Amino acid sequence: DAGITQSPRHKVTETGTPVTLRCHQTENHRYMYWYRQDPGHGLRLIHYSYGVKDTDKGEVSDGYSVSRSKTEDFLLTLESATSSQTSVYFCAISESGRANIQYFGAGTRLSVL
Amino acid sequence: QQQVKQSPQSLIVQKGGIPIINCAYENTAFDYFPWYQQFPGKGPALLIAIRPDVSEKKEGRFTISFNKSAKQFSLHIMDSQPGDSATYFCAASEDAYGNKLVFGAGTILRVKS
């Protein structure tokens, strides 16, 4: 999966608890993304980063925050998890430039009970 | 509201058949249209992409047809094989670098041997 490691791969948590998902890349790519995948919705962008400490919101950012303190790491935090955040979360990376290609990690399956 | 509408939700074809997956969009600012392929338990991977200045693009057995006036694009898989069984997502971006992708809901393709 293109030098992308997502951790954990599976997590079960309870409503109201904080959760942090990690994405680590070894490709030194500038851009990093967090998506969620739900049946009937495809993939939806949560947040993305265009450089260290540079992040922006996607289409479904409410309830999520992100941080990128190093090129290789992009963290997604659910401050207080809700059942509606049960999903499969994918991290992606890309280089800058036209005709961009996003490379996806293997995903994290999160269940909020 | 889905910005990119994809159909059908699922598709079954015989080996050697030509499955066709269709996508439609409204946002005329979209100018990059990739297709992603996802196998169970894996992240999506870029299959083929097109920009609106061409009406067709072929890569191996995969062809994208693009109709700018109708705001529609489609994926054709020639001589389909059981190994093509996967979920296919169309996507679009108005970002010239293809960074902020909007995905269709996905099509589950099964190719019967």
Side-chain angles (χ1 to χ4, degrees), chain B residues 5 19 27 30-31 34 53 58 69 72 74-76 96 98 109:
Chain B
K5 296 184 178 179
N27 185 350
F30 285 150
D31 72 344
D53 51 346
K58 291 183 180 180
S69 60
Q72 295 176 345
S74 59
L75 176 70
H76 301 233
L109 172 66

Side-chain angles (χ1 to χ4, degrees), chain A residues 11-46:
Chain A
K11 185 170 183 67
V12 179
T13 191
E14 293 185 349
T15 300
T17 60
V19 176
T20 296
L21 308 183
R22 181 184 184 231
C23 179
H24 177 80
Q25 61 147 329
T26 58
E27 305 297 323
N28 199 35
H29 282 2
R30 178 182 175 188
Y31 293 89
M32 299 186 75
Y33 313 81
W34 277 108
Y35 291 89
R36 60 178 290 174
Q37 183 174 15
D38 305 288
H41 291 278
L43 293 102
R44 291 179 290 175
L45 182 64
I46 304 171

Side-chain angles (χ1 to χ4, degrees), chain B residues 1 6 13 21 24 37 45 54 56 62 72 83 100 106:
Chain B
Q1 180 149 346
Q6 183 172 346
V13 299
I21 303 170
Q37 180 189 54
V54 298
E56 185 176 276
F62 300 92
Q72 295 176 345
K100 296 181 74 172

Side-chain angles (χ1 to χ4, degrees), chain A residues 1 9 31 33 35 37-45 48 56-59 90 94-107, chain B residues 1-3 6 9 31-32 34 36 38 41-46 49 51-53 87 89 95-106:
Chain A
D1 293 309
R9 292 293 316 278
Y31 293 89
Y33 313 81
Y35 291 89
Q37 183 174 15
D38 305 288
H41 291 278
L43 293 102
R44 291 179 290 175
L45 182 64
Y48 72 104
D56 201 357
K57 295 179 180 180
E59 61 178 301
F90 285 98
S94 67
E95 297 181 281
S96 57
R98 202 165 170 82
N100 206 358
I101 300 173
Q102 294 192 18
Y103 301 94
F104 283 79
Chain B
Q1 180 149 346
Q2 204 95 34
Q3 293 191 54
Q6 183 172 346
Q9 283 186 307
D31 72 344
Y32 176 69
Y36 280 78
Q38 184 181 29
K42 302 289 187 181
L46 181 67
R51 292 199 182 270
D53 51 346
T87 300
F89 294 96
D95 177 337
Y97 299 103
N99 285 329
K100 296 181 74 172
L101 289 173
V102 177
F103 283 84

Side-chain angles (χ1 to χ4, degrees), chain A residues 2-113:
Chain A
I4 305 167
T5 303
Q6 291 189 231
S7 59
R9 292 293 316 278
H10 302 272
K11 185 170 183 67
V12 179
T13 191
E14 293 185 349
T15 300
T17 60
V19 176
T20 296
L21 308 183
R22 181 184 184 231
C23 179
H24 177 80
Q25 61 147 329
T26 58
E27 305 297 323
N28 199 35
H29 282 2
R30 178 182 175 188
Y31 293 89
M32 299 186 75
Y33 313 81
W34 277 108
Y35 291 89
R36 60 178 290 174
Q37 183 174 15
D38 305 288
H41 291 278
L43 293 102
R44 291 179 290 175
L45 182 64
I46 304 171
H47 283 281
Y48 72 104
S49 170
Y50 47 95
V52 173
K53 295 192 189 324
D54 292 323
T55 65
D56 201 357
K57 295 179 180 180
E59 61 178 301
V60 290
S61 58
D62 288 348
Y64 302 94
S65 62
V66 291
S67 65
R68 191 171 179 195
S69 58
K70 299 185 289 184
T71 298
E72 58 266 34
D73 289 325
F74 193 32
L75 304 180
L76 176 71
T77 298
L78 292 64
E79 300 289 348
S80 177
T82 67
S83 58
S84 65
Q85 294 175 312
T86 292
S87 187
V88 181
Y89 291 86
F90 285 98
C91 172
I93 64 174
S94 67
E95 297 181 281
S96 57
R98 202 165 170 82
N100 206 358
I101 300 173
Q102 294 192 18
Y103 301 94
F104 283 79
T108 294
R109 184 172 296 275
L110 175 67
S111 297
V112 183
L113 305 179

